Amino acid sequence: MKRIILLITFLLPAYLYAGSVTLLEKTRPLLNGVQVFVLDPAYEKNPGRFFDEVKKQGGNTVFFRVFHNSSDRYHFLKNSECATGVYFQTDEACVVDDLLPVMIEEAHKRGIKLYAWMATRTLSFLKTPLLMEKTFADGQGTGEGYGASIFMSAVRRKLVRLFEDLAAYDIDGILFQDDFIMRHREGASLSALHAYYMDTGLMLTSGDLFGCLEKENRTKVPGGCNETYIPWAYWKAQKMADFFRELRQAVLVRNPSVRFAANIYYETPADSMKGISWYSQSVDMLLDAGFDYLAVMSYHDQIAREMKLDYEGAKEYVNGMLQNLVSNVDEKERILMKLQRVSWADKSGVDRGELEGICRLIDSYGSISKAIVPVNRSSEISGGCFR
């Protein structure tokens, strides 16, 4: 009898935890969000005023940057001993400023959700020669990759501990920076090649992947070999999804109420093979791995510039993305369409009428979440988007 009681006592917390996660997954609220790159110094003495103004304009969620890379501007601080680090307490990185608890407190006082926007593979303090992933060069050999290698245990341990420390705070969610990808030529490190060999029995070379001139190149990358590149690309996407599961589990053990949003490149919902090939991203894999929201970078100005479209053409492209997403995502609230407020090309403001036109298009699909990017002061919120 004692053994039975002990077994029940041991299993009950796990059962309750699993039940609570299941319940949470069934109730994902609609988000009207703003993404903060660098909070305006005007709010330094009274950050609560920012949340008051966001709420007044219809926002219910703030995505706040909690990492600092060497090229980033600081929140408030003009000088810091940290060239790179984070805005929460941890032993894993330089603490620029323990700003996160203040932001959480001020947001929650006003009923606003606070998502910590966090980087992974391109954290400056992780991008050391020893930890970087490698890329297949055009000819022989390899080059330096885009970010730290997820195939190295030191990188994985560092990120897991960082996310555990982040989860110690009463955050509502975590937005994964758009660096949680692997670019199309990445995966040439010995660690990655060995992992692929162990899973498939194949040892790949640059020629195996990129040395083909096939009439029908289904890979969507230059020189891609259908028979070798496509399985490898799907394998990389699955490895990224598996690593997210590891991070997610570490967070939920510490804070079971946290939700997760993945930054998604605009090509991913428009063309699934492009998403897999260029970014190791798949809508289906990300949903299966446990992301609550797909934060789609539906930046119409960027789309227009890169694809040489006018505004109406870019709007139609966004409409196609929405059609694909709605057909693949059961709960429309989980689709978080990110709206571009500033041109990435020249930093000028995007035409307000264009921005609100994209908002109206999104609203025509019903209950789909939205976020305006970037918003560093409340006057930058386009009022028509949250009404």
Side-chain angles (χ1 to χ4, degrees):
M1 178 61 110
K2 287 183 179 179
R3 289 181 181 177
I4 294 173
I5 293 172
L6 285 171
L7 182 62
I8 292 173
T9 303
F10 176 76
L11 291 176
L12 187 58
Y15 172 77
L16 291 174
Y17 168 73
S20 66
V21 172
T22 301
L23 179 62
L24 282 166
E25 289 174 347
K26 292 180 180 177
T27 56
R28 298 181 181 89
L30 183 75
L31 305 183
N32 283 329
V34 298
Q35 187 169 343
V36 177
F37 284 22
V38 183
L39 196 59
D40 193 285
Y43 300 109
E44 182 172 7
K45 302 299 183 184
N46 184 12
R49 183 162 64 89
F50 174 73
F51 295 100
D52 283 331
E53 294 168 355
V54 168
K55 184 173 183 178
K56 185 177 180 180
Q57 297 197 57
N60 63 18
T61 307
V62 170
F63 300 92
F64 185 71
R65 179 171 60 85
V66 297
F67 64 94
H68 181 85
N69 280 334
S70 56
S71 59
D72 293 330
R73 290 181 292 154
Y74 293 95
H75 292 302
F76 302 148
L77 293 173
K78 293 182 175 64
N79 296 296
S80 172
E81 65 179 22
C82 301
T84 175
V86 295
Y87 288 90
F88 56 91
Q89 286 294 337
T90 180
D91 292 331
E92 302 302 320
C94 189
V95 179
V96 179
D97 184 11
D98 192 16
L99 187 57
L100 183 56
V102 175
M103 301 301 289
I104 294 169
E105 180 182 4
E106 297 299 332
H108 287 177
K109 279 181 184 177
R110 294 153 177 85
I112 291 177
K113 297 176 181 61
L114 196 291
Y115 273 61
W117 168 26
M118 185 61 183
T120 54
R121 294 191 61 223
T122 62
L123 288 165
S124 294
F125 52 85
L126 275 183
K127 291 180 66 174
T128 66
L130 183 64
L131 299 180
M132 290 291 284
E133 185 52 68
K134 301 295 184 183
T135 60
F136 288 100
D138 288 336
Q140 297 295 318
T142 61
E144 188 174 271
Y146 166 67
S149 176
I150 68 163
F151 300 99
M152 296 185 184
S153 58
V155 172
R156 298 172 79 96
R157 285 197 304 269
K158 186 83 167 177
L159 285 171
V160 165
R161 289 194 292 256
L162 272 168
F163 274 71
E164 285 175 338
D165 290 340
L166 180 56
Y169 291 82
D170 189 24
I171 54 176
D172 296 283
I174 299 173
L175 170 64
F176 276 61
Q177 167 66 328
D178 57 26
D179 62 350
F180 196 69
I181 60 168
M182 286 188 71
R183 290 189 171 172
H184 74 292
R185 281 186 173 268
E186 283 194 295
S189 67
L190 290 177
S191 299
L193 290 172
H194 179 260
Y196 190 72
Y197 175 77
M198 293 301 293
D199 286 350
T200 67
L202 299 174
M203 182 60 74
L204 297 175
T205 66
S206 179
D208 294 332
L209 296 168
F210 305 102
C212 293
L213 297 174
E214 298 177 281
K215 290 181 180 179
E216 184 187 357
N217 182 352
R218 301 194 307 274
T219 71
K220 305 296 177 76
V221 301
C225 301
N226 295 332
E227 299 305 316
T228 51
Y229 183 89
I230 292 176
W232 179 70
Y234 273 96
W235 176 84
K236 288 198 300 177
Q238 189 60 63
K239 290 300 179 183
M240 292 299 300
D242 290 344
F243 184 38
F244 167 69
R245 289 187 180 93
E246 187 177 339
L247 292 170
R248 180 179 184 271
Q249 179 64 24
V251 168
L252 291 179
V253 167
R254 183 71 61 91
N255 187 342
S257 65
V258 171
R259 299 182 188 281
F260 302 87
N263 264 318
I264 306 292
Y265 285 80
Y266 69 78
E267 296 94 337
T268 300
D271 186 326
S272 60
M273 192 67 244
K274 275 190 177 179
I276 289 284
S277 288
W278 286 96
Y279 307 116
S280 302
Q281 266 190 351
S282 160
V283 166
D284 290 340
M285 285 186 187
L286 292 172
L287 291 173
D288 289 345
F291 274 105
D292 297 282
Y293 293 94
L294 303 176
V296 184
M297 295 183 287
S298 51
Y299 300 147
H300 74 279
D301 182 75
Q302 178 185 356
I303 291 168
R305 290 174 186 270
E306 293 183 354
M307 302 193 70
K308 296 179 173 55
L309 301 171
D310 60 12
Y311 169 66
E312 290 300 326
K315 188 176 178 182
E316 186 56 37
Y317 189 95
V318 173
N319 187 49
M321 293 162 56
L322 282 163
Q323 290 175 350
N324 289 343
L325 286 162
V326 167
S327 66
N328 284 288
V329 182
D330 291 336
E331 302 166 63
K332 288 190 290 186
E333 295 84 355
R334 298 177 71 180
I335 304 168
L336 174 63
M337 299 297 279
K338 296 177 68 174
L339 301 154
Q340 183 180 6
R341 190 191 62 80
V342 173
S343 170
W344 312 138
D346 56 17
K347 307 304 179 186
S348 62
V350 169
D351 181 89
R352 197 178 184 93
E354 290 186 2
L355 177 58
E356 295 190 0
I358 300 293
C359 285
R360 288 192 295 272
L361 170 63
I362 294 168
D363 288 342
S364 71
Y365 280 83
S367 299
I368 290 180
S369 297
K370 298 188 293 290
I372 300 174
V373 184
V375 170
N376 300 325
R377 57 182 182 273
S378 63
S379 60
E380 295 168 341
I381 299 173
S382 185
C385 284
F386 294 158
R387 301 298 181 187

